[in-house]
Coordinates of all heavy atoms in Angstrom, one line a residue:
E1125 N -5.9 -1.0 16.3 CA -6.0 -1.1 17.7 C -5.1 -2.1 18.3 O -4.6 -1.9 19.4 CB -7.5 -1.5 18.0 CG -8.5 -0.4 17.7 CD -9.9 -0.9 17.7 OE1 -10.2 -2.1 17.9 OE2 -10.8 0.0 17.6
T1126 N -4.8 -3.2 17.7 CA -3.9 -4.2 18.2 C -2.4 -4.0 18.0 O -1.6 -4.2 18.9 CB -4.3 -5.6 17.6 OG1 -5.7 -5.8 17.8 CG2 -3.5 -6.7 18.2
Y1127 N -2.1 -3.5 16.8 CA -0.6 -3.3 16.5 C -0.2 -1.9 16.3 O 1.0 -1.6 16.0 CB -0.3 -4.1 15.2 CG -0.6 -5.6 15.3 CD1 -1.7 -6.2 14.6 CD2 0.1 -6.4 16.1 CE1 -2.0 -7.5 14.7 CE2 -0.1 -7.8 16.2 CZ -1.2 -8.3 15.6 OH -1.5 -9.6 15.7
G1128 N -1.2 -1.0 16.4 CA -0.8 0.4 16.2 C -0.5 0.9 14.8 O 0.1 1.9 14.6
I1129 N -1.0 0.1 13.8 CA -0.7 0.4 12.4 C -1.5 1.7 12.1 O -2.7 1.7 12.2 CB -1.1 -0.8 11.5 CG1 -0.2 -2.0 11.8 CG2 -0.9 -0.4 10.0 CD1 -0.7 -3.3 11.1
P1130 N -0.8 2.7 11.6 CA -1.5 4.0 11.2 C -2.4 3.7 10.0 O -2.1 2.9 9.1 CB -0.3 4.9 10.8 CG 0.9 4.3 11.4 CD 0.7 2.9 11.5
L1131 N -3.5 4.4 10.0 CA -4.6 4.2 9.0 C -4.7 5.4 8.0 O -5.6 5.5 7.3 CB -5.9 3.9 9.6 CG -6.0 2.7 10.5 CD1 -7.4 2.5 11.1 CD2 -5.6 1.4 9.8
D1132 N -3.7 6.3 8.0 CA -3.7 7.4 7.1 C -3.7 6.9 5.6 O -2.9 6.0 5.3 CB -2.5 8.3 7.3 CG -2.5 8.9 8.7 OD1 -3.5 9.4 9.1 OD2 -1.4 8.8 9.3
Y1133 N -4.6 7.5 4.8 CA -4.6 7.1 3.4 C -3.6 7.9 2.6 O -3.5 9.1 2.8 CB -6.0 7.3 2.8 CG -6.0 7.0 1.3 CD1 -5.9 5.7 0.8 CD2 -6.1 8.0 0.4 CE1 -5.9 5.4 -0.5 CE2 -6.1 7.8 -1.0 CZ -6.0 6.4 -1.4 OH -6.0 6.2 -2.8
N1134 N -2.8 7.3 1.8 CA -1.8 8.0 1.0 C -2.0 7.5 -0.5 O -2.1 6.3 -0.7 CB -0.4 7.6 1.4 CG -0.1 8.2 2.8 OD1 0.1 9.4 2.9 ND2 -0.1 7.3 3.8
E1135 N -2.1 8.4 -1.4 CA -2.4 8.1 -2.8 C -1.3 7.3 -3.4 O -1.5 6.6 -4.4 CB -2.5 9.4 -3.6 CG -3.7 10.3 -3.2 CD -5.0 9.8 -3.8 OE1 -5.0 9.0 -4.8 OE2 -6.1 10.1 -3.3
D1136 N -0.1 7.3 -2.9 CA 1.1 6.6 -3.5 C 1.1 5.1 -3.3 O 2.0 4.4 -3.8 CB 2.4 7.2 -3.0 CG 2.7 7.0 -1.5 OD1 1.8 6.6 -0.8 OD2 3.8 7.4 -1.0
I1137 N 0.1 4.6 -2.6 CA 0.1 3.1 -2.3 C -0.2 2.3 -3.6 O -0.1 1.1 -3.5 CB -0.9 2.7 -1.2 CG1 -2.3 3.0 -1.6 CG2 -0.5 3.4 0.1 CD1 -3.4 2.5 -0.6
W1138 N -0.6 2.9 -4.7 CA -1.0 2.2 -5.9 C 0.2 2.0 -6.8 O 0.0 1.4 -7.9 CB -2.1 2.9 -6.6 CG -3.3 3.1 -5.6 CD1 -3.7 4.2 -5.0 CD2 -4.1 2.0 -5.1 NE1 -4.7 4.0 -4.2 CE2 -5.0 2.6 -4.2 CE3 -4.2 0.7 -5.4 CZ2 -6.0 1.9 -3.6 CZ3 -5.2 -0.1 -4.7 CH2 -6.1 0.6 -3.8
A1139 N 1.4 2.4 -6.4 CA 2.6 2.2 -7.2 C 3.7 2.0 -6.2 O 3.6 2.2 -5.0 CB 2.9 3.4 -8.1
I1140 N 4.9 1.5 -6.7 CA 6.0 1.3 -5.8 C 6.3 2.6 -5.0 O 6.3 3.7 -5.5 CB 7.3 1.0 -6.6 CG1 7.1 -0.3 -7.4 CG2 8.5 0.9 -5.7 CD1 7.2 -1.6 -6.7
C1141 N 6.4 2.4 -3.7 CA 6.6 3.6 -2.8 C 7.7 3.3 -1.8 O 7.7 2.2 -1.2 CB 5.4 4.2 -2.2 SG 4.7 3.4 -0.7
T1142 N 8.6 4.2 -1.7 CA 9.8 4.0 -0.8 C 9.4 3.9 0.7 O 10.1 3.2 1.4 CB 10.9 5.1 -1.0 OG1 10.3 6.3 -0.8 CG2 11.5 5.0 -2.4
R1143 N 8.3 4.5 1.1 CA 7.8 4.3 2.4 C 7.5 2.9 2.8 O 7.9 2.4 3.8 CB 6.6 5.2 2.7 CG 6.8 6.7 2.7 CD 5.5 7.5 3.0 NE 4.4 7.2 2.1 CZ 3.4 6.4 2.5 NH1 3.3 5.9 3.7 NH2 2.4 6.1 1.6
A1144 N 6.9 2.2 1.8 CA 6.6 0.8 2.0 C 7.8 -0.1 2.1 O 8.0 -0.9 2.9 CB 5.6 0.3 0.9
L1145 N 8.7 0.2 1.1 CA 10.0 -0.6 1.1 C 10.8 -0.3 2.3 O 11.6 -1.2 2.8 CB 10.8 -0.2 -0.2 CG 10.2 -0.7 -1.5 CD1 11.0 -0.1 -2.7 CD2 10.1 -2.2 -1.6
A1146 N 10.8 0.9 2.9 CA 11.5 1.2 4.1 C 10.8 0.8 5.3 O 11.3 1.0 6.4 CB 11.8 2.7 4.1
A1147 N 9.7 0.1 5.2 CA 8.9 -0.5 6.3 C 8.4 0.6 7.2 O 8.2 0.3 8.4 CB 9.8 -1.5 7.1
K1148 N 8.0 1.7 6.7 CA 7.3 2.7 7.5 C 5.9 2.2 7.8 O 5.2 1.8 6.9 CB 7.3 4.1 6.8 CG 6.6 5.1 7.6 CD 6.6 6.5 7.0 CE 5.9 7.5 7.9 NZ 5.7 8.8 7.3
P1149 N 5.5 2.1 9.0 CA 4.2 1.6 9.4 C 3.1 2.3 8.6 O 3.1 3.5 8.4 CB 4.1 1.8 10.9 CG 5.5 1.9 11.4 CD 6.2 2.5 10.3
G1150 N 2.1 1.5 8.1 CA 1.0 2.1 7.4 C 0.3 1.0 6.6 O 0.6 -0.2 6.6
V1151 N -0.7 1.5 5.8 CA -1.5 0.6 5.0 C -1.0 0.7 3.6 O -0.9 1.8 3.0 CB -3.0 1.0 5.0 CG1 -3.8 0.1 4.1 CG2 -3.6 0.8 6.5
Y1152 N -0.7 -0.4 3.0 CA -0.1 -0.4 1.6 C -0.8 -1.5 0.8 O -1.6 -2.2 1.3 CB 1.4 -0.7 1.6 CG 2.2 0.3 2.4 CD1 2.6 0.1 3.7 CD2 2.5 1.5 1.8 CE1 3.3 1.0 4.5 CE2 3.3 2.4 2.5 CZ 3.6 2.2 3.9 OH 4.3 3.1 4.6
T1153 N -0.5 -1.5 -0.5 CA -1.1 -2.5 -1.4 C 0.1 -3.3 -1.9 O 1.3 -2.9 -1.8 CB -1.9 -2.0 -2.6 OG1 -1.0 -1.3 -3.5 CG2 -2.9 -1.0 -2.1
H1154 N -0.2 -4.4 -2.6 CA 0.9 -5.2 -3.2 C 1.6 -4.3 -4.2 O 2.8 -4.5 -4.5 CB 0.2 -6.4 -3.9 CG 1.0 -7.7 -3.8 ND1 0.4 -8.9 -4.2 CD2 2.2 -8.0 -3.3 CE1 1.3 -9.9 -3.9 NE2 2.4 -9.3 -3.4
N1155 N 0.9 -3.4 -4.9 CA 1.5 -2.5 -5.8 C 2.5 -1.6 -5.2 O 3.4 -1.1 -5.9 CB 0.4 -1.6 -6.4 CG -0.7 -2.4 -7.1 OD1 -0.5 -3.0 -8.1 ND2 -1.9 -2.4 -6.4
S1156 N 2.5 -1.4 -3.9 CA 3.4 -0.5 -3.2 C 4.8 -1.1 -3.2 O 5.8 -0.3 -3.0 CB 3.0 -0.3 -1.7 OG 1.7 0.2 -1.6
V1157 N 4.9 -2.4 -3.4 CA 6.3 -3.0 -3.4 C 6.6 -3.9 -4.7 O 7.7 -4.3 -4.8 CB 6.5 -3.9 -2.1 CG1 6.5 -3.0 -0.9 CG2 5.4 -5.0 -2.0
R1158 N 5.5 -4.1 -5.5 CA 5.7 -5.0 -6.7 C 5.0 -4.4 -7.9 O 3.7 -4.3 -7.8 CB 5.2 -6.4 -6.4 CG 5.8 -7.1 -5.3 CD 6.7 -8.3 -5.6 NE 6.4 -9.1 -6.7 CZ 6.2 -10.4 -6.7 NH1 6.2 -11.1 -5.6 NH2 6.0 -11.0 -7.8
K1159 N 5.7 -4.0 -8.9 CA 5.1 -3.4 -10.1 C 4.4 -4.5 -10.9 O 3.6 -4.2 -11.8 CB 6.0 -2.6 -10.9 CG 7.2 -3.4 -11.5 CD 8.1 -2.5 -12.3 CE 9.2 -3.3 -12.9 NZ 10.2 -2.5 -13.6
D1160 N 4.7 -5.8 -10.7 CA 4.2 -6.9 -11.5 C 2.9 -7.4 -11.0 O 2.3 -8.4 -11.5 CB 5.2 -8.0 -11.7 CG 5.6 -8.6 -10.3 OD1 5.6 -7.9 -9.3 OD2 5.8 -9.8 -10.3
K1161 N 2.3 -6.9 -9.9 CA 1.1 -7.5 -9.3 C -0.1 -6.7 -9.7 O -0.1 -5.5 -9.9 CB 1.2 -7.5 -7.8 CG 2.3 -8.5 -7.3 CD 1.9 -9.9 -7.6 CE 2.8 -10.9 -7.0 NZ 2.3 -12.2 -7.2
F1162 N -1.2 -7.4 -9.9 CA -2.5 -6.8 -10.3 C -3.6 -7.2 -9.4 O -4.8 -7.2 -9.7 CB -2.8 -7.4 -11.7 CG -2.0 -6.8 -12.8 CD1 -0.7 -7.3 -13.0 CD2 -2.5 -5.8 -13.7 CE1 0.1 -6.8 -14.1 CE2 -1.7 -5.3 -14.7 CZ -0.4 -5.8 -14.9
D1163 N -3.3 -7.7 -8.2 CA -4.3 -8.3 -7.3 C -5.1 -7.3 -6.5 O -6.0 -7.7 -5.7 CB -3.7 -9.4 -6.4 CG -2.5 -8.9 -5.6 OD1 -2.1 -7.8 -5.8 OD2 -2.1 -9.7 -4.7
V1164 N -4.8 -6.1 -6.6 CA -5.6 -5.1 -5.9 C -5.5 -3.8 -6.8 O -4.5 -3.6 -7.4 CB -5.1 -4.8 -4.4 CG1 -3.7 -4.2 -4.4 CG2 -6.1 -4.0 -3.7
Y1165 N -6.6 -3.1 -6.8 CA -6.7 -1.9 -7.7 C -7.4 -0.8 -7.0 O -8.1 -1.0 -6.0 CB -7.3 -2.3 -9.1 CG -8.8 -2.6 -9.0 CD1 -9.7 -1.5 -9.3 CD2 -9.3 -3.8 -8.6 CE1 -11.1 -1.8 -9.2 CE2 -10.6 -4.0 -8.5 CZ -11.5 -3.0 -8.9 OH -12.9 -3.2 -8.8
P1166 N -7.3 0.4 -7.5 CA -7.9 1.6 -6.9 C -9.4 1.6 -7.1 O -9.9 2.5 -7.8 CB -7.2 2.8 -7.4 CG -6.7 2.3 -8.7 CD -6.4 0.8 -8.6
H1167 N -10.2 0.7 -6.6 CA -11.6 0.7 -6.7 C -12.2 1.9 -5.9 O -11.8 2.1 -4.8 CB -12.1 -0.6 -6.0 CG -13.6 -0.9 -6.1 ND1 -14.5 -0.2 -5.3 CD2 -14.3 -1.7 -6.9 CE1 -15.7 -0.6 -5.5 NE2 -15.6 -1.5 -6.5
P1168 N -13.0 2.7 -6.5 CA -13.5 3.9 -5.9 C -14.1 3.7 -4.4 O -13.8 4.5 -3.5 CB -14.6 4.4 -6.8 CG -14.2 3.9 -8.1 CD -13.6 2.5 -7.9

C-alpha cells in the first residue's frame, strides 16, 4: 500500500533469480540473491 510493491507469489524466490538481481519489484527471499544463505526457507 505504501510503496506499491507487487505481492504476486513466484516459486523461484527460493533460489537465485534474475528478476531479483535485476531489481524487478516484488517479494523475494535472501535465497533469491544469495545461495549461501539459510535464514529463510519454504515453510508451508
Side-chain angles (χ1 to χ4, degrees):
E1125 292 169 353
T1126 304
Y1127 302 109
I1129 298 171
L1131 299 178
D1132 298 313
Y1133 176 73
N1134 294 286
E1135 296 282 339
D1136 65 353
I1137 66 172
W1138 304 105
I1140 300 282
C1141 81
T1142 55
R1143 289 181 309 101
L1145 291 173
K1148 182 175 180 188
V1151 176
Y1152 299 99
T1153 70
H1154 222 170
N1155 303 289
S1156 303
V1157 295
R1158 300 249 329 235
K1159 66 181 179 180
D1160 62 324
K1161 291 297 186 175
F1162 289 77
D1163 58 349
V1164 66
Y1165 71 97
H1167 183 283

